Amino acid sequence: MRTIDKPTSDQHPDWASVYIKHVSDDGKVLDFLAEGLKEVVALVQPLTNEEWNYRYAEDKWTIKEMLVHLMDAERVFTYRGLSAARGDKTSLPGFDHNAYVPESRANLRTGDDILAEYQALRAATIAFFQNLDEEALNTIGEAKDQPCSARGMVYMIAGHERHHLQILRERYINIAQKRKYDFS
């Protein structure tokens, strides 16, 4: 896959650095997205239905809800990248990710269904960013009164997923499987 250099600080919102820092500087962000998908699938595909519905605290999301949150954010960030790449000067609104989660009805779905959607979405995301030229990647748009570019958004998608993969490993998968063995 092609390389896309890391965005400069004027190509993404200030708060996005917390995610972008998780992505390497080698420009292989599209490969990073493909690998991230493989990691997600490898972590959650073997889970039982009970484990898919696990939450590590009462007020935390289930694994299903976390994955649907990742897809929601990927769609929003891709749209922001699309808008910027196409020269749209409309200031895009923010989105309340916490409000999206219960409305997603993720817990009514199967894990397999969520993974199939995740894989299709990721393929579309990679194809979109793969085909942007440098001018489109660098065009600055606006979201939530902050600058955004397609370059910044693809790195946000990758870094956001990496952030949640770490949480998934540390607070969900390890704990869910430990509980399974502790109560056997």
Side-chain angles (χ1 to χ4, degrees), residues 54-122:
Y54 174 77
R55 63 180 85 232
Y56 67 91
E58 190 175 316
D59 62 336
K60 298 300 180 184
W61 299 336
T62 65
I63 293 172
K64 288 178 181 179
E65 289 170 329
M66 180 190 282
L67 292 187
V68 172
H69 160 72
L70 285 171
M71 289 190 289
D72 288 348
E74 185 164 329
R75 285 184 170 103
V76 169
F77 297 155
T78 300
Y79 176 70
R80 289 176 181 175
L82 168 69
S83 180
R86 300 299 192 251
D88 189 343
K89 299 301 178 196
T90 305
S91 183
L92 301 175
F95 81 107
D96 181 351
H97 63 276
N98 287 314
Y100 274 43
V101 171
E103 296 301 322
S104 76
R105 296 168 186 75
N107 293 326
L108 300 176
R109 298 174 62 184
T110 67
D112 288 343
D113 177 56
I114 291 169
L115 280 181
E117 181 183 351
Y118 202 108
Q119 291 168 317
L121 174 63
R122 183 54 53 87

Side-chain angles (χ1 to χ4, degrees), residues 11-170:
Q11 294 178 318
H12 61 78
D14 296 337
W15 54 266
S17 296
V18 72
Y19 298 126
I20 293 171
K21 72 179 182 183
H22 293 292
V23 185
S24 64
D25 294 334
D26 63 6
K28 295 183 179 181
V29 66
L30 298 178
D31 293 321
F32 196 86
L33 286 173
E35 288 303 312
L37 175 63
K38 288 178 187 175
E39 286 182 55
V40 168
V41 171
L43 273 173
V44 300
Q45 196 167 40
L47 297 178
T48 65
N49 191 49
E50 181 180 78
E51 289 169 335
W52 270 100
N53 290 303
Y54 174 77
R55 63 180 85 232
Y56 67 91
E58 190 175 316
D59 62 336
K60 298 300 180 184
W61 299 336
T62 65
I63 293 172
K64 288 178 181 179
E65 289 170 329
M66 180 190 282
L67 292 187
V68 172
H69 160 72
L70 285 171
M71 289 190 289
D72 288 348
E74 185 164 329
R75 285 184 170 103
V76 169
F77 297 155
T78 300
Y79 176 70
R80 289 176 181 175
L82 168 69
S83 180
R86 300 299 192 251
D88 189 343
K89 299 301 178 196
T90 305
S91 183
L92 301 175
F95 81 107
D96 181 351
H97 63 276
N98 287 314
Y100 274 43
V101 171
E103 296 301 322
S104 76
R105 296 168 186 75
N107 293 326
L108 300 176
R109 298 174 62 184
T110 67
D112 288 343
D113 177 56
I114 291 169
L115 280 181
E117 181 183 351
Y118 202 108
Q119 291 168 317
L121 174 63
R122 183 54 53 87
T125 297
I126 290 171
F128 170 70
F129 287 105
Q130 172 77 21
N131 290 296
L132 294 178
D133 63 21
E134 286 298 309
E135 183 178 349
L137 285 166
N138 290 327
T139 302
I140 304 295
E142 188 176 295
K144 264 182 91 174
D145 301 318
Q146 294 272 318
C148 70
S149 65
R151 181 182 310 280
M153 295 302 102
V154 70
Y155 273 83
M156 281 184 54
I157 292 165
H160 181 251
E161 179 181 68
R162 180 63 48 185
H163 166 78
H164 281 287
L165 265 169
Q166 184 177 347
I167 293 169
L168 188 60
R169 277 191 189 92
E170 292 172 3

